Amino acid sequence: MMVIQGGYNGEGLKVAIVVPRFNDLVTSKLLEGALDGLMRHGVSEKDITVVKIPGSMEAIYTLRKLLDLELHDAIIVLGAVIRGETYHFNVVANEIGKAVAQFNMKSDIPIVFGVLTTDTLEQALNRAGAKSGNKGFEAAMVAIEMANLRKQLRRDLFETSNSNGRER
Ligand code: INI
């Protein structure tokens, strides 16, 4: 049996973080958590790119550009979409969720969904370090694991199957 699992050593990994200024009170905390998570697990500061954008909707364009450049081992999308009085919340929350899922279906580079979708600002702050952990930190851990998994899938499966003389 072969079990493949990404580890949490971030040394040598290049990671991009996309972070909206919308609801900055929350997203700045998510960014702090993500940077803490990456650097505490060995990702070097010089290998982290932070891209600041106006709102979560702009993450879709930004992701496409970052994926085209193929410079990173993982991309984290942070954000805080907080329910307002209109339907706008639903559109933003649905579209960013759909876009990340669709990019992940096609992209070789894993994209981590670190966007909070909450009813209130308080719920969002609780998930950005106040009470219920920091989703930015969690997203960083997932990014490291998935970046390592990507490398391991290639090394363990592709190279093993080639050394057995099998076609790709
Ligand atoms: N952007 C967010 O990141 N969070 C929100 O809660 C939000 N709401 O609810 O309006 C939001 N809207 C802005 C949107 O992401 C775009 O920046 C804007 O529509 C311009 O394209």
Side-chain angles (χ1 to χ4, degrees), residues 4-10 13-15 38 43 72-76 104-105 107-113 138-154:
I4 303 175
Q5 192 167 219
Y8 290 117
N9 180 0
L13 295 179
K14 292 185 171 33
V15 181
L38 291 177
V43 180
H72 302 96
D73 296 300
I75 302 175
I76 299 170
N104 267 320
M105 277 190 239
S107 161
D108 180 41
I109 301 165
I111 304 157
V112 181
F113 188 66
E138 287 174 26
M141 300 311 300
V142 176
I144 293 172
E145 179 172 347
M146 292 305 290
N148 286 328
L149 179 68
R150 171 183 175 235
K151 287 178 196 251
Q152 273 167 242
L153 284 171
R154 171 159 287 267

Side-chain angles (χ1 to χ4, degrees), residues 123-136:
Q123 287 172 345
L125 285 169
N126 282 344
R127 287 156 182 77
K131 254 192 200 164
S132 323
N134 186 317
K135 294 287 170 198

Side-chain angles (χ1 to χ4, degrees), residues 19-166:
V19 57
R21 286 189 306 273
F22 205 103
N23 291 322
D24 178 68
L25 197 61
V26 178
T27 61
S28 59
K29 297 284 176 217
L30 293 175
L31 178 61
E32 273 174 31
L35 292 172
D36 184 32
L38 291 177
M39 290 196 270
R40 261 211 260 170
H41 290 84
V43 180
S44 165
E45 196 173 351
K46 68 170 172 38
D47 290 331
I48 302 174
T49 312
V50 176
V51 185
K52 297 200 175 186
I53 55 172
S56 295
M57 280 299 257
E58 283 66 47
I60 300 169
Y61 168 86
T62 314
L63 265 177
R64 183 166 57 79
K65 298 304 282 183
L66 286 172
L67 289 171
D68 283 350
L69 292 170
E70 294 181 6
L71 293 173
H72 302 96
D73 296 300
I75 302 175
I76 299 170
V77 182
L78 299 176
V81 187
I82 302 174
R83 194 181 291 281
E85 290 182 343
T86 68
Y87 188 69
H88 195 71
F89 160 92
N90 301 64
V91 175
V92 178
N94 288 339
E95 290 309 316
I96 182 62
K98 243 192 286 166
V100 169
Q102 280 171 5
F103 278 128
N104 267 320
M105 277 190 239
K106 286 190 263 171
S107 161
D108 180 41
I109 301 165
I111 304 157
V112 181
F113 188 66
V115 180
L116 298 173
T117 51
T118 62
D119 285 329
T120 66
L121 175 63
E122 189 190 2
Q123 287 172 345
L125 285 169
N126 282 344
R127 287 156 182 77
K131 254 192 200 164
S132 323
N134 186 317
K135 294 287 170 198
F137 188 97
E138 287 174 26
M141 300 311 300
V142 176
I144 293 172
E145 179 172 347
M146 292 305 290
N148 286 328
L149 179 68
R150 171 183 175 235
K151 287 178 196 251
Q152 273 167 242
L153 284 171
R154 171 159 287 267
R155 196 178 50 224
D156 295 350
L157 286 181
F158 175 68
E159 286 174 11
T160 310
S161 73
N162 263 9
S163 68
N164 288 343
R166 271 188 251 142

